[in-house]
Amino acid sequence: MEGGAWGLVIVMSAFMVQVLTFGTTASVGVYNIELLDHFRSNTVGVSLIGAINFGVYLGSGPIVSFLMTRFSYRNIALVGSALVCVGLLGMSHYPYIPTMCLFFGVLTGFGNCCTYIPSHVLSGLYYDKYRSVATGVSTSGSGLGGAVFPVLVGFLIDVYSWRGSLIFLAGLNLHLFIFAALLRYPPEVGSPSARAYASSERVRTREGENESLAPSARSQLPMSSRQIYIFTNYGFNIYFLSNIMWNASYAILQSFGPEFLQERGLTLMGAAWLSGAFGLSSFVGGVVGGVIGNVDNVDRQRLYTLACLLMGVAILGFPLAHQVALYAVALVAAGLALGIILGLLIVVLTDLVGAESLGNGLGYLMLSNGVGTFLGPPVA
């Protein structure tokens, strides 16, 4: 079986990493309701807390990608797990906008990136023929986290206040240490694409041990695997800009959707449940996108484009609705499209730049995601 037992373990670990990291980030909108009341409607200041978290989480890709060439994936993910927990605890103990921007925005955001990228790249390296399915399943964890965590956080806020809920959230994120510890680089006898990618970064001959490429081997690498030369690829440039745009709209909806729904008459828990419906449909979309993307005759770039169009139309229709049922339809449609986009993210990138440039390409793609999510909420 392609990937073997460890391939399944890596996909499961990547799935759970995304449940925890994206779930925590998806709770920003629910927290914003409480923070706007606590900081007396300081909309710009409150929006910066989530925007910095989104931006650092997704925008630190090139930094983490560079670190992945120097240290083992597992060690980077373990350090990231510690940063996530420290950031959440610091946010609860120092409830001021500048310190919350530092703890939740910078520390938790960078920690999330350090756990997300290694797990996501590894889930693609263990597979060749079924890479789309593997990355689609692991990516669907972000949808499940987005479905569960807003509802869970809403309940915790009702019972323990928003500051107390952050302590529980930090405790849940301690599980990142477990899933980070399971991350193991594929052996050299893995798939051809895994070996190609390994040669473009560093060869790991044993678990936790790294060897640098010889200069002669590095000189033979394709230009797209050498840092900024990837921007000589026209298709990647278009993909880069596309990711900035849809991430900006996603961040606006995630940050202010619950508050908007509460202004339209819903309770905190009602807004949280609808946010959960958005996340659940994203979970379904991630699996659907991964499965369809693995079909030989499917044009994955066209499917990605159609998903972007559906997401845009659904988000445009969301504020125009005036009934709970219509809000739900718009959120489910947007979530389904988002899930398909995320499920196709790695495979479309591989189609554009090749497996040998996957780590470098994902790093810069995360940068585009960070730029979009950082700009969206403050502009809104």
Side-chain angles (χ1 to χ4, degrees), residues 57-319:
Y57 180 5
L58 300 175
S60 301
I63 299 175
V64 177
S65 180
F66 171 78
L67 292 174
M68 285 160 56
T69 69
R70 297 293 183 267
F71 306 99
S72 72
Y73 289 18
R74 175 182 295 163
N75 288 341
I76 294 171
L78 287 171
V79 171
S81 303
L83 291 176
V84 170
C85 296
V86 170
L88 290 171
L89 289 174
M91 185 181 179
S92 66
H93 286 86
Y94 300 96
Y96 311 100
I97 286 180
T99 53
M100 295 172 96
C101 286
L102 172 63
F103 281 108
F104 185 70
V106 178
L107 292 185
T108 299
F110 186 67
N112 281 336
C113 190
C114 286
T115 56
Y116 167 71
I117 290 189
S119 66
H120 201 34
V121 171
L122 284 177
S123 68
L125 293 184
Y126 268 82
Y127 295 89
D128 187 10
K129 180 180 179 181
Y130 296 106
R131 178 180 293 123
S132 178
V133 175
T135 57
V137 170
S138 61
T139 301
S140 66
S142 62
L144 184 60
V148 173
F149 272 65
V151 178
L152 175 62
V153 166
F155 170 76
L156 291 174
I157 289 174
D158 277 347
V159 178
Y160 300 105
S161 80
W162 66 268
R163 293 178 67 178
S165 70
L166 285 167
I167 299 175
F168 278 86
L169 206 57
L172 282 174
N173 277 275
L174 285 173
H175 291 84
L176 285 172
F177 284 99
I178 299 173
F179 302 115
L182 291 173
L183 298 181
R184 176 190 181 191
Y185 200 83
E188 288 186 89
V189 294
S191 66
S193 58
R195 293 196 300 271
Y197 176 73
S199 67
S200 71
E201 301 262 355
R202 301 169 70 85
V203 177
R204 279 117 171 133
T205 57
R206 294 183 180 87
E207 184 179 340
E209 295 182 4
N210 303 328
E211 288 183 4
S212 300
L213 276 172
S216 60
R218 185 177 288 108
S219 66
Q220 298 173 5
L221 296 177
M223 294 293 282
S224 61
S225 67
R226 302 183 202 165
Q227 299 303 325
I228 64 172
Y229 284 101
I230 198 168
F231 288 101
T232 61
N233 184 321
Y234 173 79
F236 177 79
N237 292 337
I238 298 299
Y239 199 41
F240 185 90
L241 293 174
S242 168
N243 273 260
I244 291 177
M245 294 176 184
W246 70 255
N247 272 282
S249 62
Y250 160 72
I252 292 171
L253 181 64
Q254 193 75 69
S255 297
F256 297 113
E259 183 200 2
F260 171 82
L261 291 170
Q262 194 177 48
E263 287 182 353
R264 292 297 178 95
L266 275 73
T267 63
L268 173 66
M269 285 305 298
W273 277 108
L274 281 184
S275 296
F278 172 78
L280 183 61
S281 61
S282 177
F283 165 69
V284 175
V287 177
V288 170
V291 172
I292 296 179
N294 206 69
V295 178
D296 292 336
N297 296 326
V298 170
D299 187 332
R300 293 186 286 225
Q301 293 180 31
R302 183 170 296 177
L303 179 61
Y304 168 86
T305 303
L306 292 175
C308 287
L309 288 172
L310 174 60
M311 183 178 173
V313 170
I315 292 179
L316 281 172
F318 175 69

Side-chain angles (χ1 to χ4, degrees), residues 328-350:
V329 169
L331 288 174
V332 167
L336 183 66
L338 175 65
I340 293 173
I341 291 171
L342 293 175
L344 294 172
L345 205 63
I346 288 288
V347 289
V348 172
L349 177 63
T350 306

Side-chain angles (χ1 to χ4, degrees), residues 350-370:
T350 306
D351 290 343
L352 291 171
V353 303
E356 70 280 352
S357 302
L358 183 57
N360 187 28
L362 182 60
Y364 283 111
L365 198 64
M366 293 292 287
L367 174 62
S368 70
N369 295 347

